[in-house]
Amino acid sequence: CYQAYNFAKIRVDEASANKNSKPLAIITDVDETFLDNSPYAVTQTQKGNEFDLKTWNEWTSKGEALAFPGSLDFFNYAAKKGITIFYITNRNEQDKPGTLKNLQKLGFPFADDKHVVVMNTTSDKETRRQAVLKDYNVVLYLGDNLTDFSQLFYKKSQAERNAKTDELAKEFGSKFIVLPNSGYGDWEGALPGFNNK
């Protein structure tokens, strides 16, 4: 996490040093990109349960997730450089009040209704990203899943995802900053015999 956010700071410095026709922005995912939900996962495991929306909403409504190391410092650093942060998450409207409470309690910048963009009808974030791109030059995307960066990865086979990753290799560490998520994600489909049910 420190490595990812330290590298992101370098990219922010580079972007803010250049002339831009639009204001600068960062688009970031929330869960397991900078908010740590492992206490929820551990509690469910201890009870012999898996993820479910009811207990997930109970967790998000508490607003108790902690920030991953380096994340709060990075986002506040970017904000001080005049960069707007958009939190594009696949949490839903029911999760939004707790999410706002959590971000505000931790001191994340732009933790308001306009900048925390939740899922409405689809987990594909492309429409929400495009809405930001109309008014901003997005200098960085941060996430724990390839679909946090581009629609090119959305609902694609492992082979297609691998091929697109190879094509976009120069974007990783440049425009795309990936955070590790060892708990869950589309990477699970690459496991031999994986069954999402």
Side-chain angles (χ1 to χ4, degrees), residues 26-97:
I26 290 170
I27 291 178
T28 183
D29 174 53
V30 174
D31 297 308
E32 279 53 69
T33 295
F34 68 86
L35 279 189
D36 178 7
N37 295 292
S38 60
Y40 166 78
V42 169
T43 300
Q44 288 295 93
T45 301
Q46 288 173 332
K47 294 177 179 177
N49 297 330
E50 296 182 4
F51 174 90
D52 68 73
L53 286 175
K54 181 179 181 292
T55 57
W56 173 250
N57 185 248
E58 289 169 1
W59 163 251
T60 61
S61 68
K62 293 176 186 177
E64 293 179 354
L66 297 178
F68 279 133
S71 60
L72 182 61
D73 181 52
F74 166 70
F75 288 113
N76 280 306
Y77 180 82
K80 286 177 185 166
K81 291 270 188 175
I83 299 176
T84 303
I85 315 298
F86 286 91
Y87 305 95
I88 297 184
T89 175
N90 280 339
R91 290 183 175 201
N92 62 31
E93 284 293 340
Q94 194 174 358
D95 297 315
K96 192 167 186 175

Side-chain angles (χ1 to χ4, degrees), residues 142-171:
L142 293 98
D144 65 313
N145 194 327
L146 293 173
T147 57
D148 292 326
F149 308 121
S150 172
Q151 189 181 40
L152 294 171
F153 300 107
Y154 186 70
K155 295 202 175 183
K156 301 294 186 200
S157 70
Q158 191 62 46
E160 290 171 303
R161 288 163 62 86
N162 288 351
K164 288 296 177 192
T165 300
D166 290 343
E167 284 177 33
L168 297 171
K170 290 182 180 178
E171 299 293 347

Side-chain angles (χ1 to χ4, degrees), residues 115-132:
H115 296 93
V116 175
V117 186
V118 297
M119 176 177 66
N120 284 317
T121 58
T122 177
S123 61
D124 184 358
K125 296 180 176 181
E126 188 63 19
T127 302
R128 290 173 277 166
R129 284 190 292 259
Q130 290 301 321
V132 174

Side-chain angles (χ1 to χ4, degrees), residues 9 11-27 73-86 109-110 114-115 132 135-140:
K9 275 186 183 179
R11 294 301 178 218
V12 160
D13 288 341
E14 291 171 352
S16 58
N18 297 327
K19 289 187 177 179
N20 292 281
S21 57
K22 293 180 181 178
L24 302 182
I26 290 170
I27 291 178
D73 181 52
F74 166 70
F75 288 113
N76 280 306
Y77 180 82
K80 286 177 185 166
K81 291 270 188 175
I83 299 176
T84 303
I85 315 298
F86 286 91
F110 299 97
K114 177 184 175 186
H115 296 93
V132 174
D135 299 317
Y136 293 87
N137 176 15
V138 177
V139 296
L140 274 179

